[in-house]
């Protein structure tokens, strides 16, 4: 949808023009999955699809919000003075939570506001539509009310909204990628220190394609938290033998030496995934910087195998897509991306083979899983920002 038509929608709902327009991207993760909450490294990038927010200040303390993605729910009306989480508010809890935490952190907002959101990433598909609306709200409020907040602090605040207000115990990867994205670059991030480095993603004859399983995944679902708890348990059992505050501090050599102390095979599997995946992100950074895309593709394939066999978060739909992709000509690498349990896979595919790849994969997936996949090309875009016309 064009910005112009979003402006018209704003006008229809609020009978005036928006003062400012903002955009926050979605994200995909190249490699480094389920490592962020283990103090490890991730390697995500911001995409050019995401969430638009058009807004204006009001003269009173009311907040009025509409999402074109949930238009049937109509305008949600809140007040600056009552921003408690409320299940019946649905999607509006995200902007409400960000507003609440900004206020609690001393950001001054003297009036309410009106905002229209529109997202062109699918909801609940693992491309971080939630972190996207959080950062869109944060940047919007920062610019509307002209308060100062460091970008990394805003990212941390949005993660806190997700963890404490929404109640999803996720790591910092999504908010970081969406807040710090850079056109043409992936972001290598150490989630413990928050040291990061931009690595150019120079795709000349290839493109990254996002493949949505269209199997809805609920991140809040118990599996994600179950994996977190298993990782904490594995860490606890290894700590008497190795100096580590998180699984991300343990090398694969140390792991091989001390895995015998883990009490169950499941814990061995979970820790093995995290520790080797963490090392794969370091290799991927080196290889990407030296332009060895083929080697990065191999690491992506290894990552998926580890998520399938050891971490057990892929499931039939993602495995069907990724395993088929591995066998196709012109595919450099393929893996699930995000939390898993459905959601999206990504593949790096040569331009010359893309059309054929998509049509063959589509047929195969439908036959095996009875669902249609959706395909998007991932262009690497900027982090959350104001759209200046
Ligand atoms: C979700 C979470 C992230 C991260 C990934 C798995 O996207 O929001 O913090 O844990 O899953 O890598």
């Amino acid at each position: 949808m064009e910005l112009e038509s979003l402006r018209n929608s704003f006008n229809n709902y609020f009978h005036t023009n928006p003062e400012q327009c903002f955009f926050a991207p979605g994200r995909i993760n190249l490699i480094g999955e389920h490592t962020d909450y283990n103090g490890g490294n991730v390697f995500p990038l911001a995409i050019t699809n995401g969430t638009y927010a058009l807004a204006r200040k009001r003269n009173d303390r009311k907040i009025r919000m509409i999402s074109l993605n949930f238009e049937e729910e109509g305008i949600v009306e809140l007040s600056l003075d009552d921003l408690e989480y409320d299940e019946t508010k649905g999607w509006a809890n995200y902007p409400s939570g960000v507003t609440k935490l900004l206020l609690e952190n001393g950001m001054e907002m003297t009036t309410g506001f009106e905002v229209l959101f529109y997202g062109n990433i699918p909801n609940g598909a693992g491309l971080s539509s939630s972190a996207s609306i959080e950062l869109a709200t944060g940047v919007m409020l920062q610019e509307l009310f002209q308060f100062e907040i460091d970008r990394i602090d805003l990212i941390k605040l949005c993660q806190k909204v997700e963890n404490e207000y929404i109640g999803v115990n996720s790591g910092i990867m999504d908010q970081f990628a969406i807040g710090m994205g850079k056109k043409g670059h992936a972001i290598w991030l150490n989630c413990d220190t928050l040291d990061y480095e931009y690595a150019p993603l120079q795709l000349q004859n290839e493109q990254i394609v996002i493949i949505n399983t269209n199997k809805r995944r609920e991140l809040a679902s118990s599996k994600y938290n179950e994996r977190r708890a298993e990782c904490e348990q594995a860490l606890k059992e290894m700590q008497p033998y190795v100096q580590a505050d998180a699984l991300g501090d343990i090398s694969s050599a140390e792991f091989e030496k001390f895995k015998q102390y883990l009490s169950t095979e499941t814990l061995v599997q979970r820790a093995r995934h995290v520790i080797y995946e963490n090392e794969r992100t370091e290799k991927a950074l080196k290889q990407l910087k030296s332009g060895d895309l083929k080697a990065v593709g191999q690491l992506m394939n290894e990552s998926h195998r580890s998520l399938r066999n050891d971490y057990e978060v892929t499931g039939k739909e993602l495995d069907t897509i990724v395993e088929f992709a591995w066998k196709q000509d012109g595919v450099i690498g393929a893996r699930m991306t995000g939390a898993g349990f459905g959601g999206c896979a990504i593949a790096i595919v040569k331009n010359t083979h893309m059309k054929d790849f998509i049509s063959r994969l589509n047929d195969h997936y439908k036959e095996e899983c009875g669902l249609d996949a959706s395909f998007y090309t991932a262009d690497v875009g900027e982090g959350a920002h104001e759209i200046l016309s």
Side-chain angles (χ1 to χ4, degrees), residues 27 29 32-37 170-174 219 224 338-339:
R27 69 97 189 88
N29 188 17
E33 216 66 87
H34 290 279
T35 43
D36 63 350
Y37 53 82
S170 51
I172 200 163
M173 169 170 75
D174 303 345
L219 187 58
Y224 187 88

Side-chain angles (χ1 to χ4, degrees), residues 145-162:
F145 295 99
Q146 292 289 303
F147 53 75
E148 274 181 38
I149 182 166
D150 179 72
R151 182 51 67 98
I152 304 283
D153 289 336
L154 182 60
I155 286 168
K156 287 185 187 161
L157 184 137
C158 288
Q159 188 201 1
K160 201 164 168 203
V161 170
E162 190 81 41

